[in-house]
Amino acid sequence: MKLYNTLTRTRDEFVTHEPGKCTMYTCGPTVYHFAHIGNLRSYIMEDVLEKYLRYDGLEVKRCMNITDVGHLSSDADTGEDKMLKGAKREHKTVMEIAQFYTDAFFADCKKLNIKKPEIVVPATSYIPEFIEMVQGLLDKGYAYIAEGNVYFDTSKLDEYYVFNKHDVEDLEVGVRDGVEEDTAKKNKSDFVLWFTKSKFEDQELKWDSPWGIGYPGWHIECSAISLKNLGEYLDLHCGGIDNAFPHHTNEIAQSEAYLGHKWCKQWFHILHLNTQSGKMSKSKGEFLTVSLLEEKGYSPLVYRLFCLQSHYRKSLVFSWEGMDGTKTAYNKLISRIASLKLDSNDAVEEEKFNALKAKFKDAMDNDLNTALAVTALYDVLKSDANDATKTALIADFDTVLSLDLIEEAKKAQAAKADAAKAAASGELMIVCGSDGVDESLKAKVEGMIRDRADAKKAKDFAKADAIRVELSAMGIVLKDSKEGVHWTLA
Ligand code: AMP
Ligand code: ZN
């Protein structure tokens, strides 16, 4: 498989340190607020990558941290603690906030069919490991203590800006934001490994350390957690593109200084999901969540497909029109799959199966081209293969795409069978065509639709019309068919 590597700036053949096995590290969420759908774009693409590596035969060991301490509102070492900001906003303790938003994050992931990594480590559970690593860096001469904090000394490295040609100007972002410059640093690019001198006095979470009571810098988290769980040679490190600098740059600096050798060869970065007005960001406070998508009637899997339809290395602009288009495409896809005989006992046609599977693999092997992989799915439907072959291929691709294609198609088939049965027995069939409709609203609407049908039967057309008008005022659109009544939210 070829994957773009931010470190070499080329598409490299992905080779793991140990044949057949892959260690994969993912920078996890900062749990001071809900994840926005931009964050989740990154986790969807990482999920697809993990699943494809497994599909391709690799044994993947994946680890993710949960940033529940020490992540500042600027990516530099300045600004307010994001966790503390969340706690103040919601009048809760920092740990309550962390637990609540960690659970919320995994609940969103579940809805999006994002598999939970087998190893998930909250930063606050690894304080001794961080201290050990910081001490190691001090012992090796890569770190220094100044005005109470421990800093990494970037001047000790042959190369610090490993990903691209950043310069010191980039490090002044925090300063331009009106945050005081840290005069204790020897070099502008140095970063904090351990704080004892907090920029904010009411820091809640603090631990004892050889350098005084304090808390870890953000970057040390991922290095220490990764080294402990995945070993000295990491195969693959992932994150959104904003993580490349300074976060991943600092992770590389401290990990390689500590280990005395190269650490991770392959860096996978996902470009951002933007709104039409610019970057979606948690710290701006205005962002879209999975719950909001559901409230607006979009299944989370429609958003997953929206992400899969574009390449991870292109920034993606979110729009409701785009979501509408994807929703239509998803529903059409499901109904095309539902028109297959999904439980066919025919033999799978091996040659056709292999040829169509090769298209899917070629797309994914080509720098995880999920858009082409989705096209390969349509190629299956268009092909002259028998239904057993098509069903087997769709199920096979969906182990990676995770769009619940067979399950949803089976549901659609069952609904159709129910409708046919109801029509044959003269019973009124009511089908709701919108996702995520509140159960009490559903019950109310269905009751009104039945009353309308009864009124029609009794030839009380004035009453039937009045009910339709009332439903329309409630934002309900009705479509009568010979099977029954289909309704949606306008
Ligand atoms: P955070 O919770 O802020 O640490 O971010 C979690 C993950 O989401 C990181 O990998 C970020 O790089 C990524 N991320 C942040 N904003 C976006 C965005 N707008 N689009 C895609 N990924 C993002
Ligand atoms: Zn990280």
PDB file of all heavy atoms in Angstrom, residues 25-28 65 218-219 222 237 243 247-248 251, ligand 2:
ATOM      1  N   TYR A  25      -0.475   4.834  16.282  1.00  0.00           N
ATOM      2  CA  TYR A  25      -0.794   5.766  17.363  1.00  0.00           C
ATOM      3  C   TYR A  25      -1.651   6.914  16.823  1.00  0.00           C
ATOM      4  O   TYR A  25      -1.381   7.457  15.758  1.00  0.00           O
ATOM      5  CB  TYR A  25       0.490   6.349  17.985  1.00  0.00           C
ATOM      6  CG  TYR A  25       0.174   7.163  19.214  1.00  0.00           C
ATOM      7  CD1 TYR A  25       0.038   6.533  20.450  1.00  0.00           C
ATOM      8  CD2 TYR A  25      -0.054   8.537  19.132  1.00  0.00           C
ATOM      9  CE1 TYR A  25      -0.305   7.259  21.584  1.00  0.00           C
ATOM     10  CE2 TYR A  25      -0.393   9.264  20.254  1.00  0.00           C
ATOM     11  CZ  TYR A  25      -0.517   8.623  21.478  1.00  0.00           C
ATOM     12  OH  TYR A  25      -0.866   9.336  22.594  1.00  0.00           O
ATOM     13  N   THR A  26      -2.660   7.246  17.590  1.00  0.00           N
ATOM     14  CA  THR A  26      -3.576   8.323  17.210  1.00  0.00           C
ATOM     15  C   THR A  26      -3.644   9.359  18.311  1.00  0.00           C
ATOM     16  O   THR A  26      -3.851   8.997  19.471  1.00  0.00           O
ATOM     17  CB  THR A  26      -4.992   7.730  17.056  1.00  0.00           C
ATOM     18  OG1 THR A  26      -4.983   6.835  15.957  1.00  0.00           O
ATOM     19  CG2 THR A  26      -6.016   8.808  16.810  1.00  0.00           C
ATOM     20  N   CYS A  27      -3.479  10.623  17.960  1.00  0.00           N
ATOM     21  CA  CYS A  27      -3.672  11.676  18.961  1.00  0.00           C
ATOM     22  C   CYS A  27      -5.171  11.761  19.250  1.00  0.00           C
ATOM     23  O   CYS A  27      -5.978  11.991  18.350  1.00  0.00           O
ATOM     24  CB  CYS A  27      -3.170  13.012  18.445  1.00  0.00           C
ATOM     25  SG  CYS A  27      -1.389  13.026  18.351  1.00  0.00           S
ATOM     26  N   GLY A  28      -5.509  11.566  20.507  1.00  0.00           N
ATOM     27  CA  GLY A  28      -6.924  11.539  20.882  1.00  0.00           C
ATOM     28  C   GLY A  28      -7.475  12.928  21.143  1.00  0.00           C
ATOM     29  O   GLY A  28      -6.767  13.931  21.008  1.00  0.00           O
ATOM     30  N   ASN A  65      -4.476   8.428  23.049  1.00  0.00           N
ATOM     31  CA  ASN A  65      -4.499   9.115  24.348  1.00  0.00           C
ATOM     32  C   ASN A  65      -5.786   9.918  24.473  1.00  0.00           C
ATOM     33  O   ASN A  65      -6.471  10.181  23.483  1.00  0.00           O
ATOM     34  CB  ASN A  65      -3.310  10.073  24.464  1.00  0.00           C
ATOM     35  CG  ASN A  65      -3.396  11.175  23.441  1.00  0.00           C
ATOM     36  OD1 ASN A  65      -3.558  10.924  22.254  1.00  0.00           O
ATOM     37  ND2 ASN A  65      -3.349  12.416  23.898  1.00  0.00           N
ATOM     38  N   TRP A 218       1.771  19.297  27.028  1.00  0.00           N
ATOM     39  CA  TRP A 218       0.866  18.484  26.216  1.00  0.00           C
ATOM     40  C   TRP A 218       1.611  17.424  25.396  1.00  0.00           C
ATOM     41  O   TRP A 218       1.213  16.252  25.323  1.00  0.00           O
ATOM     42  CB  TRP A 218       0.056  19.423  25.303  1.00  0.00           C
ATOM     43  CG  TRP A 218      -0.740  18.756  24.226  1.00  0.00           C
ATOM     44  CD1 TRP A 218      -1.384  17.557  24.313  1.00  0.00           C
ATOM     45  CD2 TRP A 218      -0.988  19.241  22.907  1.00  0.00           C
ATOM     46  NE1 TRP A 218      -2.021  17.272  23.126  1.00  0.00           N
ATOM     47  CE2 TRP A 218      -1.797  18.301  22.253  1.00  0.00           C
ATOM     48  CE3 TRP A 218      -0.610  20.400  22.220  1.00  0.00           C
ATOM     49  CZ2 TRP A 218      -2.231  18.469  20.940  1.00  0.00           C
ATOM     50  CZ3 TRP A 218      -1.049  20.575  20.913  1.00  0.00           C
ATOM     51  CH2 TRP A 218      -1.846  19.619  20.283  1.00  0.00           C
ATOM     52  N   HIS A 219       2.747  17.839  24.781  1.00  0.00           N
ATOM     53  CA  HIS A 219       3.409  16.955  23.814  1.00  0.00           C
ATOM     54  C   HIS A 219       3.971  15.679  24.439  1.00  0.00           C
ATOM     55  O   HIS A 219       3.982  14.630  23.810  1.00  0.00           O
ATOM     56  CB  HIS A 219       4.518  17.718  23.091  1.00  0.00           C
ATOM     57  CG  HIS A 219       4.102  19.095  22.707  1.00  0.00           C
ATOM     58  ND1 HIS A 219       3.105  19.320  21.792  1.00  0.00           N
ATOM     59  CD2 HIS A 219       4.509  20.318  23.150  1.00  0.00           C
ATOM     60  CE1 HIS A 219       2.932  20.630  21.667  1.00  0.00           C
ATOM     61  NE2 HIS A 219       3.763  21.249  22.484  1.00  0.00           N
ATOM     62  N   CYS A 222       1.849  12.173  24.368  1.00  0.00           N
ATOM     63  CA  CYS A 222       1.770  11.216  23.263  1.00  0.00           C
ATOM     64  C   CYS A 222       3.059  10.417  23.144  1.00  0.00           C
ATOM     65  O   CYS A 222       3.011   9.214  22.870  1.00  0.00           O
ATOM     66  CB  CYS A 222       1.452  11.952  21.966  1.00  0.00           C
ATOM     67  SG  CYS A 222      -0.207  12.617  22.028  1.00  0.00           S
ATOM     68  N   HIS A 237       1.815   7.037  12.743  1.00  0.00           N
ATOM     69  CA  HIS A 237       1.289   8.030  13.686  1.00  0.00           C
ATOM     70  C   HIS A 237       0.298   8.912  12.928  1.00  0.00           C
ATOM     71  O   HIS A 237       0.584   9.358  11.830  1.00  0.00           O
ATOM     72  CB  HIS A 237       2.456   8.862  14.229  1.00  0.00           C
ATOM     73  CG  HIS A 237       2.122   9.615  15.474  1.00  0.00           C
ATOM     74  ND1 HIS A 237       1.021  10.426  15.576  1.00  0.00           N
ATOM     75  CD2 HIS A 237       2.748   9.684  16.673  1.00  0.00           C
ATOM     76  CE1 HIS A 237       0.993  10.962  16.787  1.00  0.00           C
ATOM     77  NE2 HIS A 237       2.023  10.527  17.485  1.00  0.00           N
ATOM     78  N   ASN A 243      -2.046  19.119  13.865  1.00  0.00           N
ATOM     79  CA  ASN A 243      -1.169  18.463  14.838  1.00  0.00           C
ATOM     80  C   ASN A 243       0.298  18.398  14.373  1.00  0.00           C
ATOM     81  O   ASN A 243       1.199  18.225  15.185  1.00  0.00           O
ATOM     82  CB  ASN A 243      -1.638  17.021  15.108  1.00  0.00           C
ATOM     83  CG  ASN A 243      -2.794  16.943  16.083  1.00  0.00           C
ATOM     84  OD1 ASN A 243      -3.421  15.908  16.218  1.00  0.00           O
ATOM     85  ND2 ASN A 243      -3.088  18.026  16.789  1.00  0.00           N
ATOM     86  N   HIS A 247       2.754  20.138  17.570  1.00  0.00           N
ATOM     87  CA  HIS A 247       2.609  18.948  18.406  1.00  0.00           C
ATOM     88  C   HIS A 247       3.462  17.753  17.945  1.00  0.00           C
ATOM     89  O   HIS A 247       4.282  17.231  18.709  1.00  0.00           O
ATOM     90  CB  HIS A 247       1.120  18.573  18.490  1.00  0.00           C
ATOM     91  CG  HIS A 247       0.833  17.409  19.371  1.00  0.00           C
ATOM     92  ND1 HIS A 247       1.316  17.314  20.653  1.00  0.00           N
ATOM     93  CD2 HIS A 247       0.126  16.266  19.154  1.00  0.00           C
ATOM     94  CE1 HIS A 247       0.908  16.166  21.190  1.00  0.00           C
ATOM     95  NE2 HIS A 247       0.189  15.518  20.301  1.00  0.00           N
ATOM     96  N   HIS A 248       3.287  17.333  16.700  1.00  0.00           N
ATOM     97  CA  HIS A 248       4.033  16.152  16.256  1.00  0.00           C
ATOM     98  C   HIS A 248       5.525  16.446  16.106  1.00  0.00           C
ATOM     99  O   HIS A 248       6.367  15.563  16.301  1.00  0.00           O
ATOM    100  CB  HIS A 248       3.443  15.625  14.945  1.00  0.00           C
ATOM    101  CG  HIS A 248       2.075  15.016  15.134  1.00  0.00           C
ATOM    102  ND1 HIS A 248       1.213  14.768  14.105  1.00  0.00           N
ATOM    103  CD2 HIS A 248       1.444  14.598  16.265  1.00  0.00           C
ATOM    104  CE1 HIS A 248       0.091  14.227  14.585  1.00  0.00           C
ATOM    105  NE2 HIS A 248       0.208  14.130  15.891  1.00  0.00           N
ATOM    106  N   GLU A 251       6.780  15.992  19.460  1.00  0.00           N
ATOM    107  CA  GLU A 251       6.789  14.559  19.818  1.00  0.00           C
ATOM    108  C   GLU A 251       8.030  13.875  19.239  1.00  0.00           C
ATOM    109  O   GLU A 251       8.694  13.092  19.917  1.00  0.00           O
ATOM    110  CB  GLU A 251       5.552  13.852  19.234  1.00  0.00           C
ATOM    111  CG  GLU A 251       4.292  14.001  20.040  1.00  0.00           C
ATOM    112  CD  GLU A 251       3.182  13.110  19.472  1.00  0.00           C
ATOM    113  OE1 GLU A 251       3.452  11.952  19.099  1.00  0.00           O
ATOM    114  OE2 GLU A 251       2.037  13.578  19.392  1.00  0.00           O
TER     115      GLU A 251
HETATM  116 ZN    ZN B   2      -0.521  13.636  20.165  1.00  0.00          ZN
END
